[in-house]
Amino acid sequence: DQQVKQNSPSLSVQEGRISILNCDYTNSMFDYFLWYKKYPAEGPTFLISISSIKDKNEDGRFTVFLNKSAKHLSLHIVPSQPGDSAVYFCAVYLRGTSYGKLTFGQGTILTVHP
Amino acid sequence: NAGVTQTPKFRVLKTGQSMTLLCAQDMNHEYMYWYRQDPGMGLRLIHYSVGEGTTAKGEVPDGYNVSRLKKQNFLLGLESAAPSQTSVYFCASRLQGTVTEAFFGQGTRLTVV
């Protein structure tokens, strides 16, 4: 039972254009959403997050949008740079659960071409 | 400031052998996690812990055991390794009580032959 889905295994974008990564979730009780970035041979690193009480959060070139009615999360990178090439994971957290469980999606490989 | 350190970084096991992966964090985090990453499967939670002496099962706990005898350490054990356990294992930790991000180690690449 996959509670978090990233349906696009890969995305290829030209440098300077926008990258849009998508994530769908099934549980409307999830209340905190995060994006992680992972380079080869490294551990994932935190990128940006959003609470369920918001619909948008920006941090420099990165913006996360949350559509609660559609149970959909997206990450926009503008402008995209070759250094953004990595695997991107969305993750969800249900506050109030006993164990602080953090559940990840399958990941999307982003390739930004110069 | 080491953060989250995993030992070892690489290991090759024969089917049926046992081993323990060690995760150590120096950030005084309460929560610790073990994930495995497989192609197309993302990061799947194996076990986690909300504090010293407590552990809980995640999504894929079969074939693994864990212990959290000290707050800073979280051990993942494979009693009898199987080829299906070939994967990259990541440990993570985070603070309790706040909705904060988890910090990850560098990973352990395990191959079971």
Side-chain angles (χ1 to χ4, degrees):
Chain A
D1 180 21
Q2 190 74 30
Q3 293 190 305
V4 185
K5 290 185 179 181
Q6 293 177 254
N7 292 315
S8 298
S10 63
L11 176 67
S12 184
V13 172
Q14 205 68 29
E15 181 178 6
R17 307 294 285 269
I18 184 171
S19 295
I20 300 176
L21 297 106
N22 296 302
C23 179
D24 295 301
Y25 59 96
T26 56
N27 188 342
S28 59
M29 297 300 292
F30 288 137
D31 64 357
Y32 204 71
F33 306 85
L34 307 93
W35 283 96
Y36 279 77
K37 177 177 178 179
K38 184 185 179 303
Y39 292 117
E42 295 184 9
T45 55
F46 171 73
L47 190 57
I48 191 169
S49 63
I50 187 168
S51 166
S52 60
I53 62 173
K54 295 185 176 182
D55 55 19
K56 179 182 175 181
N57 188 28
E58 283 183 85
D59 184 1
R61 296 186 296 114
F62 302 91
T63 303
V64 56
F65 295 92
L66 178 62
N67 183 334
K68 289 184 286 293
S69 61
K71 297 191 187 68
H72 181 79
L73 183 71
S74 64
L75 174 68
H76 293 209
I77 306 173
V78 183
S80 301
Q81 299 174 354
D84 296 329
S85 297
V87 181
Y88 289 80
F89 293 99
C90 65
V92 298
Y93 173 70
L94 180 57
R95 190 172 6 206
T97 56
S98 302
Y99 301 108
K101 186 176 176 182
L102 190 60
T103 303
F104 284 81
Q106 303 97 314
T108 297
I109 301 170
L110 173 65
T111 304
V112 181
H113 299 282
Chain B
N1 190 2
V4 179
T5 303
Q6 292 182 232
T7 310
K9 290 185 172 47
F10 303 94
R11 185 73 185 267
V12 178
L13 280 181
K14 293 183 179 178
T15 298
Q17 285 185 321
S18 63
M19 79 162 294
T20 300
L21 281 67
L22 170 63
C23 177
Q25 53 95 2
D26 61 3
M27 297 173 283
N28 204 34
H29 287 172
E30 289 84 5
Y31 290 1
M32 295 187 75
Y33 307 83
W34 276 106
Y35 293 89
R36 58 177 290 175
Q37 185 193 11
D38 302 291
M41 303 295 288
L43 290 161
R44 292 183 294 169
L45 183 63
I46 305 171
H47 286 278
Y48 55 105
S49 168
V50 298
E52 184 178 321
T54 69
T55 63
K57 293 181 180 180
E59 302 163 288
V60 289
D62 294 342
Y64 305 95
N65 57 76
V66 287
S67 64
R68 183 103 180 265
L69 299 179
K70 293 183 179 180
K71 185 178 183 179
Q72 64 267 33
N73 295 335
F74 195 29
L75 278 63
L76 178 71
L78 288 74
E79 290 186 349
S80 179
S84 61
Q85 294 177 304
T86 294
S87 187
V88 181
Y89 292 85
F90 288 99
C91 176
S93 71
R94 60 182 288 274
L95 282 170
Q96 178 192 20
T98 57
V99 187
T100 60
E101 70 271 20
F103 293 84
F104 281 81
Q106 296 286 78
T108 295
R109 182 173 293 276
L110 176 66
T111 303
V112 183
V113 297

